[in-house]
Amino acid sequence: MGQNDPPYLVEAADRALVLLTLLAERGRLTVTEAARELGVAPSSAHRLLSTLCHREYAVQGDRRVYLLGPALLRLRTGDVQALPDRIRPFLQMLFDAVGETVHLMVRMGSEVLFLDGIESTRSLRVGLRVGARMPADRTSGGKAMLADLEPDEIDALYTDGRAPAMDERLPGLAALHRELEAVRRDRFGGNYDESEPGVTAIGASVGVIDGYHAALVVALPTARVAGGGLQAVAAELLRISDRVRQENGRTAA
């Protein structure tokens, strides 16, 4: 312990709090950076970061980068807005423009977490999914965020060579790569009755904000997709997603 440290200092707890502070300030942290800041071996830093992940104060992203976890995000106050608060005005804009259920989601490795949403008031509508976790490759916003990644980063998420949620329509990792090429071309991902029968969703990535890889999503009954209405919804989704990127000054993951 340092000369000015109190005699009752619990070293492991102190190091964990240092890592929490660094995550809150920087939004992302590698094992090497954590070890250097703490003055410990990388193996010790890894154990501390793994403990934070267990309590959802951190999540492990790609290439051994650790990001803010939902528990830490909920605690962030003061001059740094929590992500749902920061994005809520844009979510409201999207809802006003399309009149369908809209969500904000973030990617956690190969999964997504629905952080916020506004439910449509139409009699036939898609319900809210706030708090739900789903496989990224089976959701529209998840596909949009995966499309931001390099091919080797995607491969690292599915080390067994098969995206775990895929069914016979997408029988492996090669098929996921092909689908993501189309997502990059269109600039949005689609989910057509994949996660739930009768539900169509489209999602667009807004890049990394507050340490989170995030996306906006519009979900509507498949019965309302016919007649070319989806193109108009996609145009509004892309317009508002572009505004999020521009006004928050963030880049893709």
Side-chain angles (χ1 to χ4, degrees):
M1 293 190 294
Q3 184 176 3
N4 297 322
D5 291 336
Y8 50 81
L9 180 71
V10 178
E11 193 169 29
D14 182 65
R15 288 172 173 171
L17 290 172
V18 170
L19 292 184
L20 286 174
T21 301
L22 291 171
L23 274 171
E25 290 175 348
R26 302 179 184 179
R28 55 198 298 132
L29 198 64
T30 67
V31 171
T32 301
E33 291 169 341
R36 182 175 62 248
E37 294 287 349
L38 296 175
V40 301
S43 58
S44 298
H46 180 263
R47 286 194 294 272
L48 286 166
L49 287 166
S50 296
T51 300
L52 295 182
C53 288
H54 176 67
R55 294 297 181 183
E56 295 192 328
Y57 284 94
V59 293
Q60 187 172 8
D62 311 309
R63 297 181 177 179
R64 300 184 180 180
V65 173
Y66 289 81
L67 307 174
L68 300 175
L72 182 56
L73 184 61
R74 287 192 293 268
L75 294 177
R76 296 181 74 190
T77 57
D79 60 347
V80 183
Q81 278 187 301
L83 182 60
D85 291 338
R86 185 190 295 275
I87 303 301
R88 184 71 181 198
F90 301 99
L91 203 61
Q92 185 67 54
M93 286 180 206
L94 182 58
F95 174 77
D96 292 341
V98 301
E100 303 286 357
T101 297
V102 297
H103 284 102
L104 164 68
M105 65 166 58
V106 294
R107 185 176 63 84
M108 296 182 170
S110 62
E111 293 187 324
V112 296
L113 171 66
F114 290 76
L115 276 187
D116 194 12
I118 304 174
E119 186 170 332
S120 173
T121 58
R122 299 187 181 191
S123 57
L124 180 61
R125 62 183 181 269
V126 176
L128 287 181
R129 303 288 188 268
V130 176
R133 288 177 182 254
M134 293 185 182
D137 60 279
R138 294 295 294 273
T139 64
S140 60
K143 293 174 186 177
M145 290 184 282
L146 289 174
D148 282 340
L149 304 180
E150 297 295 330
D152 62 330
E153 293 178 301
I154 296 168
D155 292 343
L157 292 176
Y158 303 106
T159 53
D160 61 356
R162 175 183 172 84
M166 289 184 174
D167 58 19
E168 63 278 3
R169 290 172 294 175
L170 290 173
L173 191 53
L176 176 60
H177 281 296
R178 290 194 296 271
E179 184 175 19
L180 294 181
E181 282 299 319
V183 174
R184 294 182 187 103
R185 181 191 66 234
D186 297 336
R187 297 182 56 223
F188 65 86
N191 174 355
Y192 309 103
D193 299 325
E194 292 176 60
S195 57
E196 185 175 338
V199 173
T200 290
I202 56 174
S205 170
V206 294
V208 176
I209 301 174
D210 289 346
Y212 271 113
H213 195 182
L216 297 182
V217 175
V218 179
L220 64 160
T222 300
R224 208 151 47 233
V225 172
L230 197 61
Q231 285 79 6
V233 172
E236 292 296 335
L237 172 65
L238 292 175
R239 179 179 67 84
I240 293 170
S241 296
D242 286 343
R243 284 196 61 177
V244 174
R245 288 178 180 267
Q246 293 164 3
E247 297 185 24
N248 286 275
R250 302 303 195 268
T251 59

